[in-house]
Amino acid sequence: MIESLVTFVVGMSGGHAALAIVLFTLAVRVLLLPLSVRQARSAKVKERLAPELRRLQKRFGRDPQRLSKEVSALYAREGSSPFAGIMPGLAQAPFLWLMYQVATHPTALAGQQLLGAPLGQQVAGMVANYGLISWPFSVFVVIIALVALVAWLSSRKIRSTLTEEQPETLRKIMPLLPWGSVVAAAVLPLAAGLYLLVSTAWTFGERAVLAARAG
C-alpha cells in the first residue's frame, strides 16, 4: 500500500520524489490551516483571559480538579479551548508517521534522490556508504542546518511571547520545543528531514502572518 501510494504521488510530480514530498507537505499544511487559525485565536483569548486565569489559579490552586473545571468553563464562554494551541501539532502527527513509513520502506524511495543524496537513507547510512567528506552527506547536513535555523528563529519568537506571569517550567520548556524537529531530522531518513524543513518553515511564516493579522 505504501509503495503504491508513493508511486502515485511521485508519478503526479513528474517522477521527482523530493518535489512530491514538498507538495505533499504544503498540501498537509493548507489542510491544517483552519486549525492553525484557531490556534492563533486561542493565543489571543489566552492573553485576554490571563488576569482571570491567575485569579482562578490563586483561588483553586490546591484543588486541581476544580481548577481544571473552572478553566474549561472560562474558555468555553469564550468559544475556545485550553487545548486549541496544540491541535495543529497533534493533527500533523499522522502525516509525519506516514512520511516516516514511506522513508523507511525498503523499495518505496529506491533510486530517489535530493540533489544526489538518497531520500531513503539516514545520516548514519550516508556516512557508511559515502563517507563524511561526500556530496550526499553534505546535502543531509544542509537540510539539518536549515531545520536548525528555523528552530532557532521559532525558539526566539516563542521566548519573546512568554511573560513573567507564566509558570517558570512553561517558560523553560516552550522555547526548547522547536529543537525537537532538529533531533528528528538528524535521526530520520532524508525524506522525513525534507518534510520537517518545509513544515517547520511554513509554521514559522504562518505564525508571523497570523500574529500580524491578529494585531
Side-chain angles (χ1 to χ4, degrees):
M1 179 180 177
I2 292 292
E3 189 170 357
S4 299
L5 176 62
V6 174
T7 301
F8 173 75
V9 175
V10 172
M12 293 292 289
S13 304
H16 300 287
L19 176 60
I21 291 171
V22 172
L23 294 178
F24 171 79
T25 309
L26 295 177
V28 169
R29 297 316 306 258
V30 170
L31 182 66
L32 298 180
L33 188 57
L35 292 180
S36 298
V37 172
R38 186 175 178 184
Q39 179 187 41
R41 290 175 179 171
S42 174
K44 297 301 292 185
V45 168
K46 187 174 183 179
E47 182 179 341
R48 187 171 66 252
L49 295 179
E52 184 66 15
L53 290 170
R54 288 195 298 272
R55 187 186 68 81
L56 292 175
Q57 180 68 39
K58 290 180 180 180
R59 184 176 179 182
F60 303 111
R62 296 183 179 181
D63 187 351
Q65 187 174 358
R66 178 67 184 278
L67 176 62
S68 178
K69 183 178 179 180
E70 293 292 335
V71 169
S72 297
L74 181 61
Y75 273 97
R77 289 197 295 272
E78 294 289 333
S80 184
S81 165
F83 306 104
I86 64 173
M87 287 170 56
L90 292 177
Q92 197 178 165
F95 299 103
L96 181 58
W97 176 84
L98 177 61
M99 183 56 60
Y100 175 77
Q101 293 297 313
V102 169
T104 56
H105 193 278
T107 58
L109 292 177
Q112 295 292 340
Q113 299 180 337
L114 171 65
L115 302 176
L119 283 167
Q121 287 210 5
Q122 299 168 298
V123 65
M126 296 280 189
V127 174
N129 293 320
Y130 302 98
L132 285 172
I133 310 299
S134 65
W135 178 254
F137 179 72
S138 299
V139 172
F140 210 125
V141 170
V142 169
I143 293 295
I144 295 175
L146 291 174
V147 174
L149 175 61
V150 176
W152 177 70
L153 293 172
S154 300
S155 181
R156 286 188 61 191
K157 182 65 176 179
I158 291 173
R159 189 175 286 108
S160 69
T161 62
L162 298 174
T163 65
E164 293 295 330
E165 298 170 344
Q166 294 173 303
E168 183 179 359
T169 302
L170 183 68
R171 286 186 280 119
K172 288 182 177 180
I173 293 177
M174 289 299 292
L176 298 177
L177 294 181
W179 294 99
S181 60
V182 182
V183 176
V187 300
L188 294 176
L190 182 58
L194 180 59
Y195 173 90
L196 286 168
L197 172 60
V198 177
S199 185
T200 54
W202 173 288
T203 298
F204 179 76
E206 180 184 76
R207 287 177 176 170
V209 171
L210 291 176
R213 291 186 62 182

